[in-house]
Each structure stands twice: as C-alpha cells, then as structure tokens.
Amino acid sequence: MTLDEIRAHLQALQARDLPSHGGRTLAYVYDSGLAEADAIGREALTMFADSNGLDPTAFPSLLAMENDLVAMAGGLLDAPAGFVGSVTSGGTESVLLAVLAARDDAGAAPRAASMVLPTTAHAAFHKAAHYFGVEPLLVDVDPRTFRADPGAMAAAVRDDTVLVVGSAPSYAQGIIDPIAELAAMAAERGLRCHVDACIGGWVLPHLDHLDRAQQWTFAVPGVTSISVDLHKYAYTPKGVSLLLHRDSTLRRGHFFASAAWPGYTMLNSTMQSTKSGGPLAAAWAVTRAIGIDGYAVLSRTAREATLAIARGVDGIPGLRVVAEPDSTLLALAADGSCDVFTIADEMLARGWYVQPQMAFRGMPATLHLTLSAATAPSVPEFLTALSEAVDAAQAAGPVSLDPALAGAAAALDPATLTDRDFDGLLALAGLAGGDDSLALPERMAPVNALLDIAPAPLREAMLLAFLDRLSRPS
Ligand SMILES: *Cc1c(COP(=O)(O)O)cnc(C)c1O
C-alpha cells in the first residue's frame, strides 16, 4: 500500500467508529471542546510514543512527568504529606493495583483475602477478584438512593477481608457513596478503604454543591487509596490513570521486582513493563494546557449540562432520572410505555450515543449519560432528540420477547453449553455475525432486551462467545 492508500484506509476504518469529538457520544469518550489542548496532547503523544517507561533511569523525562501528575492530583485530592502515587494505563489497572496492594502487604506472601464491595462498584473490582483470587463480598446498596449501606457492609466484613470499597461517584448511577462512614468502619477494623474516583476525581474537587457528609478525598480519615482517571475528565488521550496511596508502605504491594533470570532486573511499579511514554506525556501536556482553573470551568460546564438534562428529562413523560446526580453522570429509566433499549437505538438514529445498562439486582435497566463539557452547547438539541426518541419508542412499544425464550434463558446453565449451543444462542440473539462479522444489527434493542433478561452468568458467557467469534484473524 502507498502511504496515501494507508491513510485513506485508516480514515475509512475510523468512519465506522463512534465520534470521539463533537459532544454527541455520551459514554466512552470525553471532549473538552478545547482544540488547542487536544493539539498539544497529540503532539506530546507522538513525541514520546517510542519512549519506554520500563526503566525510569533510562528515560528520566517520564519519571519527572509522572511525579508532576501525581503532585497535581495530590493537590486536588487533599493528599497528606507523605502520599505517593503511580501513573497506570487506565482505571481498571488502577483498581487492579489497589486490590493487589491490599492483598499483598509490603513484603508479605499472597494470602487468602476478600473485599467488601457495594453492588454499584465498577466491574474492574470483579476483574481484580478474578485475577488475584480476592473474593468479592457484594453488598446491596440502598434501593432508593443507590448509595452504599455502611451498616450492611460492616456486617459483611470477614476475618480475611483486606479492603472496603466506595465510589465517588459510581459509574452506573453517578452516586457518591458515604465515604466517611465506610472509611471509619474500615479504619476501626484495621482495613484499607479505596475510593474509586476514576470518573469523578478530576471533576468533583471543582464543584461546591457537596455537603460535608459527601466528602470523599484523603481529607476523610481512613481513606487509604484513591483512583482517578486522566483519560476521562482530565480530557487527555486514552491510556492514563492515577492510583494514589496515603503513604508509600501502602503502595509497596503493587511494586514488582525480579532478579530471577539472566536479563535486566525487572523493576515495575505497574502491571506493564515496557510501556509507551506517549499517553503519560500527553497527559502532562494537556493538564498543563488546561490548568486547574481551566478544569474548574470545564467541570462547572459539564455539571450545568448534567442538571439541565436532568430538568429536561423531568418534562419528558415516560422517562425519569433514577437518582439526583452527584456529579456529571445520569442514569435514565423508562416507565412501562417503552424500553430504554429502543430509546438508545432511536437516539443513535438521531446522531447521539447513549449507553444501555442492563437491569441488575433490583436496579432497573437504564441509559447512561456521561456529560462532557463539549456537550453543554447542544443540550437543547439533545433534549429535543431525546423527546422524539421516547415518542418513537412509545409508538413502537417495549420490545416483546417470547416468554418461552425468556424461560429457557433463565433455565440455561452456561457451564454445560457447548460451542454449537453458543452458535445457536448468538443467532437467536441476533449476534450471529455473517460475512462481515463486525456488522452488528441495525437495531440493538432486541439483542439488548434478550441479554437483559439473561441471568448475569449467561449474559457473560454469551458475550464471551460473541467476543471469541469477533476476534479472529481477518
Ligand atoms: C471508567 C471507570 C473505571 C475503569 O476505568 P477504565 O479506564 O475504563 O479501565 C473504574 N471505575 C469507575 C468508577 C469508572 O468510571
């Protein structure tokens, strides 16, 4: 291929993706709307794309930028003297490392361990449980407020518990857990308390609507670590999050060294070893370009957009905000007149991406909205589209599933299903793939409605089978 052909091909591929800019994709991407900040980020990304974070003595530039980012975060998160932090590749890695460090206290051998999670904790904690053999002790949140229940979480603590988790805010409903109570409960028992502020950590410090009971930073006694993603509300290119610990002893468990081979002594702060300096440099550049004052403006803009949408939704019959938003995230539920999955399809047809969330342990199926600053100018347009989408979804009525199918799905044990069974199930769900296996059905509502009624283990198994079939050499 010539360079021009390669370029054209890349552009054609990208044209099928959701747009990352323009403020109409309300999950996955974050748009500050600041072209200059984006430009300096890309410049830094390219400039350091080939640098290797494997060895901070070989690339001291990367260590310097990492320490700058950690210092900036410490200021935002009320970190005390003696705090430390590491740059990771994303929120999931930050969460994985927080769990690993809790399991393996400095120098100690891995031990049987458990962690107490509110049901609204991010799936990354379940991934950590799976990777590191730390048992998740799931505790239902208050069904009305979606807030973690400190009393019930205290009752769930076992002798082998090493960690108590809260979110600021949770992804699915955008609710801040009662961190002060959770952290006090953890401290009383000598346990760590991690605050997952992956999505809120760069926004909430600039907003002033939270009362004292909603504090969640290191100012709260007993909070031992906090995760915050820069590739979310710091509006930096993907691949950067931070994990901060109250002191360096708490971090030690996620550092790794190996001299047990004949090559260089491997010495890593995170899960990756060779790692590009690009995302880190980009984050350094973008955070400096926007600056604390800039983030304050962007945060207030995103918060106002969130509240304006919440007010607008109050005026759309059939749709409701499930909980007053604590930050810049919204979850919207439908009444029985239509379903959220059809609304999502109708929104996509109007050029807006909103993210379907399945029902879970008594929580309704919802649409998730992450509001970026760049969406603010088009809130009225968004609300018009939403109102039309609800009308269309009501005209169509809720997706109807064959009750026999629903019954069969509930009875299936994924552990006993063969590959052929999965082929059949995927075809039934409309996820069979064809010549072009990447072509999803035009309308996702029937697929989502079926996945929604599938018990969680079956949904996981079906989607894993789907992923397996997607991920094949072209
Ligand atoms: C996004 C998010 C994560 C996971 O972060 P990734 O960057 O997607 O790996 C964890 N917790 C919360 C609350 C999040 O919003």
Side-chain angles (χ1 to χ4, degrees), residues 93-118:
E93 190 180 8
S94 293
V95 166
L96 288 172
L97 295 178
V99 174
L100 181 63
R103 190 195 70 177
D104 301 348
D105 264 339
R111 49 183 166 151
S114 64
M115 58 183 160
V116 181
L117 306 177

Side-chain angles (χ1 to χ4, degrees), residues 30 88-95 120-125 127 166-172 196-200 227 229-232 238-241 329 368 370:
Y30 299 76
T88 72
S89 63
T92 298
E93 190 180 8
S94 293
V95 166
T120 49
H122 195 278
F125 290 94
K127 189 171 186 175
S167 310
S170 60
Y171 183 86
D196 182 2
C198 277
I199 202 158
S227 49
D229 294 350
L230 299 183
H231 63 200
K232 287 181 179 156
K238 292 288 181 252
V240 197
S241 169
L329 315 178
H368 170 97
T370 289

Side-chain angles (χ1 to χ4, degrees), residues 150 166 176-188 193 195 211-217 219-223:
I176 301 177
D177 287 324
I179 300 299
E181 287 173 76
L182 293 180
M185 181 275 276
E188 250 168 54
C193 176
V195 176
D211 58 35
R212 276 191 66 81
Q214 289 176 297
Q215 282 191 12
W216 56 273
T217 64
V220 177
V223 169

